[in-house]
Structures are given as C-alpha cells and as structure tokens.
Amino acid sequence: MCICNYSVGQNAFGALHSNYTPTNSLYVNPSSILDAKVWLDINIVGVGTYINNDLVHLQNQSLISAIKNRESLGDSDFDFNHGRKKYHAYNRTFVTAPSVVWSQGDHAAALSLGGRSYTGVRGVPDFAAQFIEYGVPAYTAQHDINYVANNVRLASISFAEVKLTYAYTFLKKRDHMLMAGATFSKFFSVAGAGANVYDFDFIVDNDSIIDIGNIESDAVYAWNKTIYAKGGWGMDFGITYQKMLRDASSYYPNSPKMGCTKIPYKYKLGLSIVDIGNVKFDPVLYQGYDFNTYSWQDYTQEEINENNPADLFTPQESDILDGRVKNPNKIRLPTFVSAQFDYNLWASRVYVNATIIQGFGIANNKFGLRHANSISVTPRYESYWLDFALPFSLYEYKHPQLGASLRVGPLTIGTDKLINWLFKPNVYGADFYLSLKVPIRYHPACKDRQREQSGGRNRRRGRDNSTTKCTI
C-alpha cells in the first residue's frame, strides 16, 4: 500500500491572479472578477492535478526522466521518509468545462461549469508508515508491541458543479474602490468516502492474529451509479479594495460610458472565504465502531468487500449506525480563508502578488477535508497576448515550491512544482495545469465608439485610412 495518489494543481498560483483571466481568479476571491482587463473571459476547457505527501518519494531523477523511463521504474526508484511522527497525503483534481466571466462597469457575473476531486489523509502515525512500507505480517520488528493510533482522518470526494458568481463595486471615492462578490455552487455528487479513527489500540501478534484492545471510529462509503442531483450546495464570499492611480469616482471599466478607457490600480487587497458547504450522497454505507477486546484471526486472509470496504468489523458492533458522526451522508468541503495582495510594479504590466491560504480543521462529529495551508509570492508579467509568472510558495507554510506559468494567447500551461519536473530532488509530489480560453477584450459598443472617434479625427485631418485602438 502506498499513500501516494496522483491528482491536481493545488491552487495553480501562477495562473491565479492575472487580470486577463478572471475565470481563474474567482476561485480564490469572487470579487476579483470586477475591473478585469477583458470584457468577457470565456473558458473552453481546463484540467489540472496536484499531489503531495511526506512518506514516499521518487529518488535520483526528475519527473520528466521518470516519465521517459516509466517502463523500467521499479521499487528501487522509490524510498520512504522515516523522519516524521505523523504523515499525510493530499491531492486535488479539477476539470473546468465551458465557463464565462462578464465584467462591465460596477457589475460582474460568471457562470462556471466543472468537476473536482479531493483526497486527504492526515495523522498517519510513524508505526503505521512502517507497516505500509514493509507489510504488517512480514515486519516482525513491530510484532508484540502495543500501538495506539489517535485522530487519523481520511476523506475523499468527487463531484460535478455549477457555479454562479456576482460581484458589485459599492464604493468609488477619489482614488479608492471597494468591491464585494459571492459565488453559489450546486453540486452533483459522484463518489465519496470518509474515516475518522478516534482511538485504535492493537497488538500484531504474528502473521495470523491481531489483538484489538479498543477501536472507536466512524466510516462511510458512497458510490453513486449515476450522478446524484441533490449533491449539496457551496458558497464563496470575497471583498477587494483597490488603490487607484487617479480619481475613479466616475470610473466604469469595460463600459461604453468611458470608451473603455482604463484606470490602473496601484495595489489591491482582497479577503475571501471559499468552499463553505458540504457534498451530499445518497445512499451511503455507514459504520460506527466502538468495541474492545477482539482477536482478529487470519487477518491476512480477510477479503475486502468491494461494495463497502469499511464493513470489516460489522459483526463485532452491536449498533453499527450509532457513532459520533450524526450526518454521515455529508462530507465537508475543504473550506479555507485567504488574503491576497497585488502590487502594480511597472506600467500595469509587471506585478507582484502575495497570497496566504489557511484551511479549516474538521470537527470530530463530521467527515471532511482540510485544505492544505500555503503562502505564495508571485511576480508576473501580463498583457493581452502574454502572461508569465514565477510563483514561489510554501506548502503547509514550510515546504518550498517554485513554479512557472505561461499563457500565450488562449493557451495556459503551468506547474507549482517546476523543480520536481526539471531536476533530481527527492520528489514527494507533482502537479500541472493547463487551460484554453477565448478572452474578448472590448465591449462591442466601445469598439464602435473608438472607430467613430478615430474616424472623426481622421476626417478632420484629411485622412480616413487609420484607426486608433482602445488601450488598456
């Protein structure tokens, strides 16, 4: 068994903050879609995957080398980290379907379609990691020892979603702008699983018997043959303050009222809370275990029930539906709060962004996922045809990651783990993301107005064979 699971881009920091791609930025702050540098941003498709763990790593080769040599990869190419008391694994996968952001004047709105999958394992004790590496029956060095595991959490969800976002600029005074936005999401659940191990006291006697002194846990498993339409709801909320370079009291971005002229910001500060809510499943298979003094005979011969992997100890539990989790058909989303700071360094082309993300813990009476914590600093260059960013981030506030993101016209490709792709560190994770978009820069009426203004100037000058483009 290996905790390592392949899945998606944690936050895609390099592509998250460009003013030309509000279909990305709304995922960290719904109010960020206001004052975009495009009137419409149409996402055609996007995919991404991210994995990080602190137990298993690829050694002595980069990810590119591993892919080239994938047919010859063996156990010797992987190693285990023995230096921790607790281990974890985290992944996220996303697919974005056709989506659109409209941003004009004091208003902005978005319709987003897509799907997400998360898996999180936390609190795996060091002795369990040794069993994962060497196997339970074969690793006799850990036999006849009383072990206790506490507060081990596992959760996994897969779902499709429809998101509706609205944002409004409610204050424009001199060079100050204040904006707020909200997103409401409808979920269509596909599959989910969860396990909360509150206490597990056991001894591995030998390769045939495990003596369980006590076990207290909750587990749930759900696999819908069809998409479950009552899969729950989610919400995001955000505010953004912008310090403008000149008076913005009568500023209407991307609007014919101003001929689509742009007033740049010097800096902006955003605060948000994202993924409030639960994904629901029906039906679910739930087990609440709380029993002691059980001898698990011939555990190596135990056959896992593929339709319900968590029912191993059902005969030992007198009331299998009575556990700590009172709503086992709900798995909480990986809710997080975030603060974003974006500074205009040069000519509204070169920016630096700092973002912090703090995940919420999960109560003992719930199944759910905790979003990985992170802090990032991302310098970027942005224009209508080209974006380039180099995000530096700290995963869980302590594990450094260097990424890169490039957008050329409609195509974006990037990673938050560039070093792992190119060089030969101990590789504990991988990620990539890409998307295809069609940004529409100007409001149609604004383009007509610009042509009229340009034509009038040309006629006054005695020529009519040139135009003046609306600049941003």
Side-chain angles (χ1 to χ4, degrees), residues 344-364:
N344 184 350
L345 283 175
W346 176 76
S348 299
R349 294 291 181 93
V350 179
Y351 296 80
V352 63
N353 179 276
T355 295
I356 186 169
I357 290 174
Q358 172 65 48
F360 282 74
I362 308 295
N364 280 340

Side-chain angles (χ1 to χ4, degrees), residues 277-294:
N278 303 277
V279 179
K280 296 173 62 177
F281 300 89
D282 186 34
V284 297
L285 300 171
Y286 170 67
Q287 285 78 33
Y289 293 121
D290 189 0
F291 64 88
N292 50 42
T293 315
Y294 170 62

Side-chain angles (χ1 to χ4, degrees), residues 61 65-74 77:
Q61 57 186 311
S65 297
I67 292 172
K68 290 180 178 178
N69 304 319
R70 59 187 178 277
E71 294 184 359
S72 62
L73 284 178
D77 295 300

Side-chain angles (χ1 to χ4, degrees), residues 13 16-18 28 265 268-270 338-345 350-356 375-380 390-392:
F13 288 117
L16 196 59
H17 303 291
S18 172
V28 73
Y265 61 82
K268 66 179 178 180
L269 176 65
S338 176
Q340 314 94 40
F341 179 75
D342 205 54
Y343 191 80
N344 184 350
L345 283 175
V350 179
Y351 296 80
V352 63
N353 179 276
T355 295
I356 186 169
I375 186 169
S376 65
V377 176
T378 306
R380 75 179 186 276
L390 285 172
F392 174 79

Side-chain angles (χ1 to χ4, degrees), residues 362-398:
I362 308 295
N364 280 340
N365 62 347
K366 297 180 183 295
F367 295 119
L369 291 134
R370 183 178 79 78
H371 195 287
N373 301 323
S374 61
I375 186 169
S376 65
V377 176
T378 306
R380 75 179 186 276
Y381 172 87
E382 66 176 39
S383 69
Y384 181 69
W385 289 105
L386 179 69
D387 283 354
F388 179 69
L390 285 172
F392 174 79
S393 59
L394 292 176
Y395 175 84
E396 296 291 8
Y397 299 147
K398 56 186 176 182

Side-chain angles (χ1 to χ4, degrees), residues 106 116 165 172 221 261 280 313 357 365 437 439 470-471:
D106 293 336
R116 288 186 277 167
T165 303
K172 294 185 294 185
Y221 179 75
T261 57
K280 296 173 62 177
F313 304 119
I357 290 174
N365 62 347
K437 301 175 182 290
C470 176
T471 60

